[in-house]
Amino acid sequence: VFQLSVPLNFLGSVYREIRQSLMDMETLFNLQKVNVAIKDAPDAKHLKFAKGGEITFENVTFGYHADRQILKNLSFTIPAGKKIAIVGPSGCGKSTILKLLFRFYDPQEGRILIDGQDIKGVTLESLRKAIGVVPQDTPLFNDTIEHNIKYGDMSASPERVLEAAKKAHIHDTISKFSEGYNTMVGERGMMISGGEKQRLAVSRLILKDPPLLFFDEATSALDTHTEQALMQNINSILKEKARTSVFVAHRLRTIYDSDKIIVLKEGKTAESGTHRDLVDTGGVYSELWSNQETMFSDDEREVEIDDVN
Ligand code: ATP
């Protein structure tokens, strides 16, 4: 019996290992939303950052289906090292812009350039390595918190993991878990909140330290105070390293200090400029801003009352 149970146990653990890696592959697959139709061109080159990460959309038209265009002849430039925000009503194509930059899809017309190179002509590997993203919903691997952060850079030392977690305002939370950084998360680990997941994703990104950083509603699950503190840290990292960043956000408080704000409407740029420019223009953005300002003041009043209690 003993002799038999050993190999069975062994097989059981091998099976668990295999299941685990399959789950991880699935997560990775979802994360990268692999589109098999997109392949390297035969003469694809390694993406180079000669200008420091300038992004250009040149007359881009795109739809997921032929009969419905999401982006219509869209053109804009994001200068290297600048913070840009894309705002607009739900479904107007903000996340689609990020997906095109990852080359999960190719535009039907027009070109997307990074430092002058059409992304259709660069290797997918070099393109995706150069981009770090905090997506709307961050997939977690069935592994420890430490591993989940290290996914940004597998060679990172525990000290760098800790530093990244501190900058992402998640270190204190992790420290309170009974097993700290060794706590298992993911589908079969501890359940963590949406806001904790977002901050884990930010620490992963800080560790990866890519030339291009995208934030898709990256702080939407956080309370106003944590969001502001995290945004301050993110902004100082972006400034210090002069990284090009693109923020998709509904809460304008997180992006009003961007170098440029692009307001999308029906697949086109409705207006663009700095916060000041757009407020002065008195258009769509200005209206959104004044509505949200009233909302935020109400939020803050509530928080203050809670603090007193
Ligand atoms: P939100 O603010 O709600 O996140 P968004 O501006 O980021 O919206 P997108 O996610 O870019 O909008 O979606 C733009 C449009 O494309 C929507 O109508 C959406 O339903 C559609 N869409 C998004 N992904 C796909 C897909 N994989 N296949 C078909 N249609 C899609």
Side-chain angles (χ1 to χ4, degrees):
V1 172
F2 176 72
Q3 272 178 334
L4 232 175
S5 74
V6 173
L8 277 183
N9 275 340
F10 174 66
L11 275 182
S13 73
V14 169
Y15 172 73
R16 272 193 299 278
E17 287 274 321
I18 293 170
R19 254 197 80 73
Q20 167 100 37
S21 45
L22 282 180
M23 300 278 279
D24 287 352
M25 263 159 51
E26 273 167 25
T27 325
L28 195 65
F29 200 81
N30 286 335
L31 174 75
Q32 303 201 323
K33 297 224 170 46
V34 179
N35 179 348
V36 286
I38 304 285
K39 289 196 178 82
D40 278 355
D43 56 349
K45 307 233 168 19
H46 201 82
L47 176 64
K48 291 200 186 79
F49 284 91
K51 298 187 199 167
E54 178 195 79
I55 298 173
T56 308
F57 268 57
E58 213 178 72
N59 306 107
V60 170
T61 295
F62 173 77
Y64 294 93
H65 302 290
D67 57 348
R68 187 169 165 238
Q69 291 179 347
I70 307 293
L71 305 177
K72 296 167 193 157
N73 202 19
L74 183 67
S75 298
F76 60 83
T77 296
I78 303 175
K82 299 293 182 196
K83 175 179 172 179
I84 293 306
I86 301 172
V87 305
S90 187
C92 71
K94 302 180 294 292
S95 304
T96 301
I97 290 179
L98 302 184
K99 287 187 217 164
L100 289 176
L101 274 161
F102 260 103
R103 245 195 114 205
F104 290 147
Y105 304 91
D106 283 331
Q108 272 95 36
E109 283 168 45
R111 300 193 300 164
I112 300 169
L113 310 166
I114 296 177
D115 280 358
Q117 303 145 93
D118 187 334
I119 61 170
K120 270 177 117 170
V122 305
T123 64
L124 286 172
E125 198 201 352
S126 66
L127 175 70
R128 291 177 187 168
K129 254 198 185 148
I131 301 173
V133 63
V134 181
Q136 285 191 5
D137 187 22
T138 301
L140 290 179
F141 298 100
N142 288 312
D143 209 313
T144 61
I145 288 188
E146 173 159 9
H147 176 90
N148 269 280
I149 299 176
K150 271 179 75 166
Y151 180 69
D153 175 5
M154 282 302 179
S155 67
S157 65
E159 291 74 30
R160 282 191 54 222
V161 171
L162 196 112
E163 193 193 334
K166 280 188 176 163
K167 284 185 181 153
H169 277 272
I170 185 75
H171 170 73
D172 289 348
T173 312
I174 299 172
S175 307
K176 284 183 198 130
F177 296 154
S178 60
E179 289 176 80
Y181 283 78
N182 291 323
T183 308
M184 291 292 290
V185 288
E187 280 164 50
R188 281 171 294 125
M190 201 178 81
M191 290 295 291
I192 64 170
S193 74
E196 287 161 355
K197 264 182 159 183
Q198 289 187 330
R199 283 174 288 161
L200 275 186
V202 171
S203 50
R204 193 183 276 174
L205 187 69
I206 291 173
L207 211 55
K208 182 173 176 182
D209 190 23
L212 307 174
L213 293 93
F214 302 160
F215 298 84
D216 192 352
E217 296 288 352
T219 55
S220 57
L222 301 179
D223 63 81
T224 318
H225 289 284
T226 315
E227 181 174 56
Q228 276 177 357
L230 176 58
M231 280 310 299
Q232 259 179 18
N233 284 1
I234 292 176
N235 284 337
S236 71
I237 294 170
L238 294 174
K239 273 242 164 66
E240 179 199 327
K241 305 204 166 197
R243 296 287 189 240
T244 309
S245 56
V246 184
F247 285 76
V248 167
H250 279 116
R251 292 195 205 165
L252 302 182
R253 270 275 181 108
T254 59
I255 57 90
Y256 77 99
D257 58 351
S258 303
D259 296 297
K260 185 156 130 189
I261 299 164
I262 297 169
V263 185
L264 273 194
K265 200 178 163 192
E266 289 161 15
K268 293 191 173 130
T269 309
E271 23 181 83
S272 77
T274 62
H275 172 78
R276 230 354 341 125
D277 296 339
L278 295 176
V279 169
D280 288 348
T281 310
V284 190
Y285 178 88
S286 160
E287 195 175 322
L288 276 176
W289 176 255
S290 50
N291 289 344
Q292 290 196 4
E293 269 302 271
T294 330
M295 243 166 60
F296 275 120
S297 332
D298 288 348
D299 271 3
E300 269 159 20
R301 264 199 295 281
E302 274 170 35
V303 172
E304 275 164 22
I305 293 165
D306 283 350
D307 286 350
V308 172
N309 293 339

